[in-house]
């Protein structure tokens, strides 16, 4: 629709309850083969103190949403529509100078490859101080805060003088989290924060993040492909497929009563450690090419319950209850 | 687990009557590091013993650096063994073929790697990848035979239409399809044992089960045995008849997969289990066994149990002696001083 320049948001649309409110966000990557519609009309909100999980396979647009929220997308990526409201301010309307002050002090991100996010030739202390000094905290104050931050994430402050290669993978991840928390953001985006870590370390870090969240009261956007992990850590979960949100629900509801066939398929892709052992099916086929997404519902070529209408019309998102919504023709008439 | 039986426990009994295809005894690998003036050794694999019966899948589980991959590289004889025996069909291959593995051994023991993007050559098409083992191991006489065999292989692993796929190049296939090609390549030479090194960890979640089920089907159909390496206890249980748990180069516990997950004895196995996210068990905040810490350095490690530094039940003896093997029952064993 709004390809060039988004329409201004009318005032009464603002929803004061949400910390972050993403509405109809659209991002394309311009490639030689044509535009890749990586995020295609995604809407969801994060309330203060809430953990919202974004789940989906690689290429489903999860990370693109995170990057769009911080406006750190680079060409050929282009935000073509929608609004990203943070405390009712549209991030997509901010100027560069305002944006520079806004980033990190309000929203910080822990990247997927956090182990490589650190500069190998700088001591971790300097990398921590760098962030704080850039945002105008005097060096003396920042030095003290650096020690407090290391305490907070469970690393001996003596390790502040270490170089990244002298730290283990788990410790490096903690350093990156400390840097993310340096300016006390109210929203922390975690983009596959533990994918590269071993299970035991992963558990430690997640435990720590939950503790910090309770203590400091920030909200979390948690991005991962591991649904079983999300069910444990999130309040609400949005399931993404091929650039769209196909189902949204509170974590427990989603786990107990998944509605969308894709969500069901994802649930069927993780063997359990304690449940009965039965053959799991996964999902046949592979995700679509987003240059030419399939017509109708994007999931229909892989869907076991596809009907004729699924290849013709894109399903609209329908609320099944206060907090549970799904975009699927199976639930068109309720 | 397989489609023939609803009770997974029955399957673990069935191959029990068959002789072991692979029997590893006291396998040890030290890597020297540093310059010639220092003689530091990385104790990558230390005194590991286990066996794989015909038609059985044995899962090796452990964190990164626990020595899983080194074990299968030793079994495949890609690197020399420091100490120990590898009995294949009852013959100690390190003695019978001391310098390097024979062509026959390399045919019977095949590998599947973790990264299907790195294990296929970008400048050759799929037919080339599958034809090579057929030519090297003299499985086909002429070009048209080779083409037919290649197509058969592709169909076996569910890649259709086969002639079309055979012409494609790796970049034209998805990750799951590439991993199927890697499996087809291993199958090309009628192997008896396949060593699979984290074959699903690089794949999209929705297609992982497809690949695991394919491995499982091939096990039943072609009577192939597997050593399956993973860091994920849940998938180890899903596919493995037996599960062996590795920690810092040591094998600390082993037994039928069901026993390992339901009745874990070793404190490390219990720690691993508690770390697996499991929504089926309900939302847990903490199970109480969480121990901070990471795998110790493997360079000239201190004496005693490798897990002693992190173990909540550590005793004085744990820091002095490496525990011997204690049997919990006929199949399930543990190496921990608590059970001596």
């Amino acid at each position: 629709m709004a390809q060039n320049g988004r329409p201004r948001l009318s005032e009464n649309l603002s929803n004061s309850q949400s910390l972050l409110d993403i509405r109809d966000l659209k991002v394309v990557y311009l490639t030689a083969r044509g535009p890749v519609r990586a995020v295609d009309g995604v809407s969801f909100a994060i309330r203060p103190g809430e953990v919202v999980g974004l789940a989906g396979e690689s290429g489903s647009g999860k990370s693109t949403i995170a990057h769009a929220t911080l406006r750190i997308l680079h060409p050929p990526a282009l935000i073509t529509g929608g609004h990203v409201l943070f405390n009712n301010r549209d991030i997509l309307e901010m100027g560069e100078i305002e944006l520079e002050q806004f980033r990190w002090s309000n929203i910080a991100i822990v990247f997927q490859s956090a182990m490589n996010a650190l500069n190998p030739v700088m001591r971790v202390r300097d990398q921590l101080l760098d962030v704080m000094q850039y945002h105008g905290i005097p060096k003396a104050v920042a030095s003290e805060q650096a020690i407090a931050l290391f305490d907070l994430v469970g690393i001996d402050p003596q390790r502040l003088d270490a170089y990244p290669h002298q730290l283990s993978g788990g410790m490096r991840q903690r350093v990156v989290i400390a840097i993310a928390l340096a300016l006390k953001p109210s929203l922390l985006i975690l983009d596959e924060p533990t994918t590269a870590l071993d299970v035991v370390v992963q558990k430690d870090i997640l435990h720590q993040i939950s503790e910090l969240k309770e203590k400091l009261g920030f909200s979390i956007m948690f991005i991962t492909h591991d649904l079983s992990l999300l069910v444990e850590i999130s309040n609400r979960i949005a399931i993404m497929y091929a650039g769209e949100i196909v189902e949204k629900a509170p974590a427990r509801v989603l786990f107990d009563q998944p509605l969308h066939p894709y969500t069901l398929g994802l649930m069927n892709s993780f063997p359990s450690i304690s449940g009965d052992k039965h053959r799991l099916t996964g999902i046949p086929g592979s995700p679509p090419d987003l240059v030419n997404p399939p017509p109708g519902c994007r999931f229909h070529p892989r869907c076991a319950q596809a009907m004729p209408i699924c290849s013709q019309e894109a399903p609209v998102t329908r609320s099944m209850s206060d907090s549970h919504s799904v975009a699927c023709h199976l639930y068109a008439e309720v | 687990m397989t489609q023939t039986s609803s009770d997974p426990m029955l399957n673990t009994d069935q191959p029990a009557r068959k002789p072991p295809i692979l029997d590893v005894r006291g396998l040890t690998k030290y890597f020297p590091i540093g310059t010639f003036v220092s003689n530091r050794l990385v104790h990558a694999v230390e005194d590991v013993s286990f066996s794989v019966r015909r038609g059985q899948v044995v899962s090796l589980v452990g964190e990164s650096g626990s020595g899983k991959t080194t074990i299968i590289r030793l079994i495949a004889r890609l690197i020399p063994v420091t100490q120990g025996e590898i009995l294949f069909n009852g013959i100690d291959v390190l003695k019978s073929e001391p310098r390097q593995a024979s062509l026959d051994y390399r045919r019977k023991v095949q590998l599947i790697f973790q990264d299907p993007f790195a294990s296929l050559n970008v400048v050759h098409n799929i037919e080339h990848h599958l034809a090579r083992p057929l030519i090297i191991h003299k499985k086909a006489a002429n070009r048209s035979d080779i083409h037919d065999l290649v197509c058969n292989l592709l169909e076996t692993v569910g890649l259709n239409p086969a002639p079309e796929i055979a012409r494609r190049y790796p970049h034209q296939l998805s990750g799951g399809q590439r991993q199927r090609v890697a499996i087809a390549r291993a199958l090309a030479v009628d192997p008896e044992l396949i060593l699979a090194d984290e074959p699903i960890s690089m794949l999209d979640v929705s297609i992982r089960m497809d690949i695991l089920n394919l491995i499982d089907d091939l096990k039943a159909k072609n009577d192939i045995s597997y050593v399956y390496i993973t860091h994920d206890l849940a998938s180890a249980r899903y596919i493995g008849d037996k599960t062996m748990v590795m920690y810092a180069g040591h094998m600390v516990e082993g037994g039928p997969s069901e026993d390992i997950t339901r009745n874990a004895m070793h404190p490390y196995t219990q720690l691993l289990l508690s770390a697996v996210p499991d929504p089926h068990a309900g939302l847990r905040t903490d199970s109480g066994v969480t121990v901070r810490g990471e795998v110790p350095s493997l360079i000239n490690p201190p004496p005693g149990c490798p897990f002693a530094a992190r173990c909540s039940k550590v005793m004085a003896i744990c820091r002095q002696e490496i525990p011997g093997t204690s049997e919990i029952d006929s199949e399930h064993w543990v190496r921990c001083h608590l059970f001596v």
Side-chain angles (χ1 to χ4, degrees):
Chain A
M1 290 173 283
Q3 289 295 328
N4 310 311
R6 299 167 317 279
R8 285 211 159 249
L9 191 74
S10 59
E11 314 253 310
N12 57 357
L13 267 176
S14 314
N15 179 353
S16 55
Q17 281 182 358
S18 303
L19 178 70
L20 183 78
D21 193 354
I22 295 180
R23 293 192 191 165
D24 202 26
L25 182 68
K26 290 183 179 167
V27 182
V28 299
Y29 288 89
L30 302 172
T31 70
R33 294 169 53 233
V36 173
R37 281 142 64 183
V39 176
D40 207 4
V42 161
S43 305
F44 68 97
I46 302 177
R47 294 190 276 263
E50 196 179 35
V51 182
V52 172
L54 274 185
E57 296 177 71
S58 22
S60 61
K62 314 181 295 285
S63 295
T64 304
I65 291 178
H67 290 201
T69 303
L70 275 170
R71 278 193 48 200
I72 48 175
L73 282 170
H74 295 292
L78 194 68
I79 299 174
T80 55
H83 303 276
V84 180
L85 303 176
F86 185 84
N87 281 332
N88 298 324
R89 292 265 297 110
D90 194 343
I91 297 171
L92 303 186
E93 312 255 295
M94 287 182 186
E96 272 306 320
I97 296 163
E98 188 184 4
L99 202 56
E100 249 176 42
Q101 284 306 313
F102 173 83
R103 275 191 207 123
W104 224 261
S105 49
N106 292 292
I107 306 179
I109 184 167
V110 172
F111 289 107
Q112 190 163 7
S113 53
M115 321 239 311
N116 307 323
L118 296 168
N119 185 337
V121 296
M122 254 172 107
R123 292 178 200 276
V124 291
R125 177 200 300 275
D126 296 331
Q127 304 191 42
L128 246 173
L129 293 185
D130 198 25
V131 176
M132 292 191 265
Q133 285 179 282
Y134 187 85
H135 283 266
I137 298 173
K139 192 168 182 185
V141 182
S143 292
E144 269 175 39
Q145 282 187 10
I147 295 171
L149 279 166
F150 261 46
D151 265 335
L152 201 64
V153 295
I155 315 179
D156 182 354
Q158 292 194 326
R159 304 303 296 270
L160 273 167
D161 285 318
Y163 287 95
H165 75 269
Q166 294 169 317
L167 303 173
S168 70
M171 284 216 267
R172 263 180 275 181
Q173 188 62 277
R174 286 171 204 274
V175 171
V176 173
I177 292 169
I179 293 176
L181 295 178
L183 301 175
K184 302 188 176 62
S186 40
L187 176 66
L188 187 62
I189 300 175
L190 299 165
D191 187 357
E192 306 249 12
T194 57
T195 311
L197 302 174
D198 281 316
V199 274
V200 180
V201 183
Q202 164 175 302
K203 176 93 177 177
D204 264 2
I205 300 244
L206 291 181
H207 194 68
Q208 182 125 42
I209 290 171
S210 306
E211 268 178 21
L212 288 171
K213 192 203 83 136
E214 291 307 316
K215 205 186 293 182
L216 306 176
F218 50 82
S219 307
I220 295 177
M221 184 196 296
F222 199 106
I223 295 173
T224 179
H225 63 268
D226 189 343
L227 200 53
S228 42
L229 197 136
L230 268 192
V231 173
E232 279 204 6
I233 197 165
S234 329
N235 301 110
R236 290 188 300 132
I237 295 177
I239 305 285
M240 290 203 66
Y241 184 76
E244 298 170 334
I245 290 181
V246 294
E247 187 166 3
K248 260 187 298 195
R252 201 66 220 175
V253 173
L254 190 88
F255 181 71
D256 291 334
Q257 299 146 6
L259 294 177
H260 199 284
Y262 178 65
T263 314
L264 264 161
L266 271 188
M267 296 280 181
N268 244 322
S269 300
F270 291 97
S272 160
I273 198 77
S274 62
D276 281 338
K277 209 156 118 174
H278 57 272
R279 195 175 172 91
L280 297 173
T281 46
I283 306 170
S286 45
D289 177 3
L290 292 179
V291 176
N292 290 308
C297 171
R298 290 180 177 185
F299 185 60
H300 86 263
R302 300 175 76 187
C303 182
Q305 303 177 65
M307 305 175 289
I309 191 175
C310 300
S311 55
Q312 291 152 16
E313 263 178 56
V316 289
T317 303
R318 191 170 279 269
S319 292
M320 304 304 286
S321 73
D322 284 356
S323 50
H324 197 169
S325 64
V326 61
C328 176
H329 286 300
L330 286 175
Y331 305 97
E333 299 148 34
V334 178
Chain B
M1 179 81 219
T2 53
Q3 58 278 64
T4 48
S5 152
S6 56
D7 183 357
M9 293 305 290
L10 286 175
N11 281 353
T12 53
D13 295 341
Q14 205 203 351
R17 284 174 239 113
K18 299 179 181 174
I21 182 163
L22 179 75
D23 196 358
V24 172
R25 294 181 187 168
L27 195 65
T28 299
K29 177 67 186 178
Y30 299 153
F31 290 105
I33 51 164
T35 55
F36 58 94
V37 285
S38 77
N39 56 348
R40 297 194 301 166
L41 293 173
V42 176
H43 293 225
V45 174
E46 188 102 63
D47 190 17
V48 161
S49 305
F50 70 101
S51 65
V52 183
R53 295 198 196 95
R54 209 163 269 280
Q56 198 177 39
V57 178
V58 172
S59 302
L60 291 186
V61 185
E63 297 175 79
S64 28
S66 62
K68 315 180 292 285
T69 301
T70 306
I71 289 181
I72 67 161
R73 289 173 71 200
L74 290 168
I75 296 171
R77 303 203 55 195
L78 299 176
I79 49 173
V81 171
T82 305
Q83 213 170 30
E85 296 173 349
I86 298 171
L87 278 74
F88 188 74
N89 285 326
I91 297 163
D92 184 351
V93 292
L94 297 177
K95 290 217 174 69
S96 65
E97 306 158 4
R99 293 198 54 180
Q100 61 169 10
S102 65
L103 190 65
D104 188 49
Y105 183 78
R106 282 186 273 133
R107 175 182 75 76
K108 287 176 178 162
V109 179
Q110 289 289 314
L111 282 152
I112 301 170
F113 297 98
Q114 179 173 15
D115 186 352
F117 294 84
S119 67
L120 300 179
N121 189 334
V122 292
V123 299
H124 290 297
N125 64 13
I126 302 307
E127 173 137 10
H128 174 92
H129 284 90
L130 298 180
R132 250 178 88 78
L134 295 172
I135 295 165
I136 291 170
H137 293 277
K138 302 189 178 62
K139 286 275 166 193
N142 57 50
R143 227 163 234 239
S144 75
D145 276 4
I146 288 176
H147 182 72
D148 291 347
L149 280 171
V150 166
C151 290
N152 276 343
L153 283 167
L154 288 171
E155 276 161 21
T156 309
V157 296
L159 288 173
N160 291 307
E164 154 85 30
I165 300 273
R167 275 196 302 274
R168 290 207 195 153
Y169 286 84
H171 73 267
Q172 294 168 310
L173 302 181
S174 69
Q177 289 176 318
R178 284 184 218 210
Q179 201 58 295
R180 284 171 190 272
V181 171
I183 294 172
R185 180 170 57 180
L187 292 175
V189 291
D190 299 319
E192 296 179 15
L193 176 68
I194 292 183
L195 309 168
D197 189 356
E198 305 227 26
I200 58 165
S201 64
M202 303 272 290
L203 304 178
D204 266 335
V205 282
S206 70
I207 52 182
R208 288 183 184 176
M209 281 303 116
D210 266 4
I211 298 290
L212 276 193
N213 289 337
L214 174 66
I215 288 176
D216 195 46
D217 292 343
L218 293 171
K219 168 186 93 164
K221 209 170 6 178
N222 302 17
D223 204 22
I224 299 172
S225 316
Y226 288 89
V227 177
Y228 170 73
I229 287 195
T230 181
H231 57 266
D232 170 23
L233 264 170
S235 81
R237 169 175 177 258
Y238 181 74
I239 194 161
D241 302 299
K242 284 204 289 183
T243 295
M244 308 283 156
V245 181
M246 299 280 308
Y247 183 76
H250 295 249
M251 203 169 262
V252 296
E253 185 167 3
S257 301
E258 215 56 23
D259 290 9
I260 299 295
T261 47
R262 293 208 176 161
N263 191 24
M265 291 293 166
H266 199 282
Y268 177 66
T269 315
Q270 291 169 357
L271 172 65
L272 261 190
L273 278 168
S274 75
V276 177
D278 184 14
H280 293 275
L283 293 172
R284 301 162 304 173
T285 44
D286 202 352
S287 46
V289 270
T290 304
V291 186
R292 278 257 167 88
E294 283 162 32
V295 183
S297 163
L298 299 177
I299 304 165
N300 297 345
C305 172
F307 191 58
R310 295 169 73 186
C311 185
S312 55
K313 295 170 182 159
V314 66
M315 302 175 291
I317 189 168
C318 300
R319 301 191 198 278
Q320 291 148 19
E321 270 177 45
I322 293 176
T325 305
S326 318
E327 287 201 353
I328 305 300
D329 58 48
S330 62
E331 294 258 342
H332 185 182
W333 56 266
V334 62
R335 294 185 79 168
C336 175
H337 284 298
L338 288 172
F339 303 96
V340 173

